[in-house]
Amino acid sequence: MRLCLPNAVSAALSLLLAGSALAEYHPCVLIGPDLPIPKAVSSTSAFKDGIVSLKKAISDAISTGVTSYGDMDASATSFSLEIYSLHEEKPLFTYHYDAPGLADSKDGVKNIDSDSIYRLGSISKVLTVLTFLAAVGDVSYNEPITKYIPELAEYAAQHAGGDEIDFIDWDSITVGSLASQLSGAPPEPAGSPDTDEVLKAGFPPGVPVPVYEPIPKNYTDAECPNLFGVPCDRANVFGSINFQHPALAPSWGPGYSDVGFVLLAYALEEMTNKTLSNLLTSEVIDPLGLKSTYYSNAPLDQGVVPHSASISQYSMDILAGAPSGGFYSSTNDMRKIGKALLNSTLLSSAQTRRWLKPLTFTANDGALVGAPWEIYKAPLPDRSVWMYTKGGDIGVYSTQLVLLPDFGIGFSYLGGGYDPQAVRAKIGRASCRERVWIKC
């Protein structure tokens, strides 16, 4: 076993462990950049050469459909790609692709630019947590969620001492665990029978998916149909959660939960007596001067809308699910957001450092989980550099945010169309190969 230990304790521990199987260790430097973050990346020959290679890799992938990471078909998937530096006003690289197979789309923009709006999917979670931290900080992270949501406090009191397999232990679920996928809460609201059929259609044959039978009739509402079966009102949202079994025990390990961010938003609204929509505007959108970021109902005429609004679900309101996956933004605004995170514009430097940290492990040695970061090792052979990422998928849209704090570099990918996940994956991996960073 290899141990990596600070120099200060090396000598003492070597004496204690001498002769044991654990005696081999290697002193390690402090985590973080070895040198100051470069402030003129765009002027370096290495970066310029990398951009030339990246442009060719993207062009070849689009024209041939063949990449080193598998085939892709981008004929009906549009996307926007941008790389930026904390220390440079203009982006380092911007690429917009208008898919020819979407040229006859009935709604939205005809030519994509950096102000064109995409649905963000689960990148919304980053904006929800950013809004939370900007509004109230993280002092409540170790407090039980029942302190801030009376419906859950009532449920916990009714089922105190109940079977942990059958009843969710809300008193043991903290505010911070909701943000970091450690709550053990169910992945989604129970939805509806129609939602179950949609879920089944999205999985390979034989893969089990949650099927809720019977669903109490009042948990879903015909008055506000949506793809995810999110109930219309708050009471039925809790009903759709609490009749389910826990996904995991609280803080047992990471388990992806959109429900967690619905509850995080409810808690923030209780703390501030303001809606998350208003807080997003006052704490994030206005201070950063964002022009194309929306909680819901983004303008149709500014959107990237594959085929039509009805087919793409561009205008679909996912109601209480918005904090988890309902927001909208553009390439320009995602750059402003990413630079604000790297620069601690809205948060203190100490708060940002706490936020950009892992909170739990996964079974993959190169992947950790934050709040709500998906943290991966960058493909660098010489040193350990971590990428703080968040991917998102909703309907025909697939997105990616990547931050490399050690280099002051950020990356955004926004896409939509026929095969958005495959195109995102192949373009991203091609970018990795050319040493321009994205999650591999």
Side-chain angles (χ1 to χ4, degrees):
M1 176 182 292
R2 175 176 174 173
L3 299 179
C4 190
L5 303 171
N7 289 327
V9 297
S10 295
L13 284 181
S14 65
L15 294 174
L16 291 174
L17 299 175
S20 76
L22 298 177
E24 182 186 356
Y25 70 92
H26 298 266
C28 59
V29 299
L30 293 174
I31 193 168
D34 294 328
L35 298 169
I37 293 173
K39 295 186 177 181
V41 174
S42 61
S43 66
T44 65
S45 58
F47 188 83
K48 291 175 181 177
D49 291 344
I51 290 301
V52 170
S53 298
L54 175 58
K55 287 180 179 178
K56 185 178 186 304
I58 294 174
S59 178
D60 289 348
I62 291 171
S63 61
T64 67
V66 177
T67 78
S68 300
Y69 306 97
D71 297 345
M72 74 173 201
D73 181 0
S75 61
T77 299
S78 297
F79 64 85
S80 297
L81 176 70
E82 186 160 276
I83 305 169
Y84 49 87
S85 168
L86 169 61
H87 295 295
E88 300 195 43
E89 183 65 27
K90 295 182 179 180
L92 302 176
F93 175 72
T94 304
Y95 191 103
H96 300 294
Y97 171 66
D98 290 279
L102 300 177
D104 61 349
S105 294
K106 298 178 180 178
D107 300 309
V109 299
K110 297 304 179 185
N111 296 291
I112 297 173
D113 61 25
S114 293
D115 291 316
S116 300
I117 299 172
Y118 294 80
R119 297 204 74 155
L120 290 181
S122 284
I123 291 180
S124 305
K125 293 178 172 68
V126 172
L127 294 181
T128 294
V129 176
L130 175 59
T131 303
F132 188 104
L133 295 175
V136 299
D138 60 3
V139 294
S140 64
Y141 265 27
N142 288 323
E143 295 179 324
I145 189 60
T146 48
K147 178 177 177 179
Y148 297 104
I149 300 182
E151 294 93 336
L152 298 183
E154 180 180 357
Y155 176 94
Q158 290 173 351
H159 299 285
D163 189 328
E164 63 183 9
I165 299 299
D166 292 324
F167 302 107
I168 301 171
D169 182 9
W170 292 116
D171 279 332
S172 296
I173 293 175
T174 63
V175 173
S177 72
L178 296 169
S180 56
Q181 306 292 13
L182 282 169
S183 68
E188 307 288 348
S192 67
D194 291 339
T195 309
D196 283 340
E197 292 305 313
V198 172
L199 283 171
K200 290 177 185 177
F203 282 78
V207 175
V209 299
V211 177
Y212 308 108
E213 296 176 339
I215 296 175
K217 292 182 179 179
N218 66 335
Y219 288 175
T220 57
D221 298 274
E223 290 77 11
C224 56
N226 60 83
L227 185 64
F228 304 104
V230 179
C232 293
D233 58 62
R234 178 173 168 131
N236 284 327
V237 167
F238 287 110
S240 75
I241 297 169
N242 278 332
F243 95 100
Q244 300 184 56
H245 297 277
L248 297 168
S251 298
W252 184 87
Y256 204 89
S257 174
D258 287 321
V259 162
F261 291 83
V262 175
L263 301 179
L264 189 68
Y266 283 158
L268 178 60
E269 292 173 345
E270 178 71 19
M271 294 175 192
T272 61
N273 199 31
K274 298 178 182 178
T275 66
L276 178 61
S277 176
N278 288 338
L279 288 166
L280 177 67
T281 299
S282 64
E283 301 294 337
V284 178
I285 292 175
D286 288 348
L288 296 182
L290 307 182
K291 305 300 184 184
S292 307
T293 299
Y294 295 86
Y295 180 91
S296 62
N297 300 319
L300 185 61
D301 61 353
Q302 298 176 40
V304 178
V305 188
H307 301 300
S308 68
S310 59
I311 291 174
S312 69
Q313 301 287 330
Y314 177 85
S315 299
M316 180 185 65
D317 187 354
I318 60 172
L319 307 168
S324 181
F327 299 173
Y328 301 74
S329 197
S330 66
T331 302
N332 269 339
D333 279 7
M334 288 305 301
R335 181 179 71 256
K336 293 177 182 178
I337 291 165
K339 291 176 74 170
L341 297 179
L342 292 168
N343 197 43
S344 300
T345 303
L346 301 179
L347 309 176
S348 70
S349 296
Q351 176 72 83
T352 300
R353 288 192 293 269
R354 288 198 298 274
W355 190 22
L356 294 177
K357 289 290 186 296
L359 293 173
T360 187
F361 303 97
T362 71
N364 181 345
D365 290 343
L368 303 170
V369 179
W373 303 109
E374 297 150 1
I375 306 168
Y376 299 89
K377 278 191 174 180
L380 288 169
D382 301 326
R383 61 188 302 272
S384 180
V385 174
W386 293 94
M387 303 182 292
Y388 289 78
T389 84
K390 189 69 194 80
D393 296 293
I394 182 170
V396 302
Y397 298 92
S398 189
T399 61
Q400 187 81 47
L401 168 66
V402 180
L403 300 177
L404 288 96
D406 283 7
F407 296 114
I409 296 292
F411 179 104
S412 67
Y413 172 97
L414 306 175
Y418 177 74
D419 198 9
Q421 292 89 356
V423 173
R424 183 186 82 176
K426 305 305 187 298
I427 295 298
R429 288 169 180 168
S431 300
C432 258
R433 186 178 182 183
E434 303 306 329
R435 312 282 283 189
V436 183
W437 311 115
I438 184 175
K439 184 184 85 173
C440 292

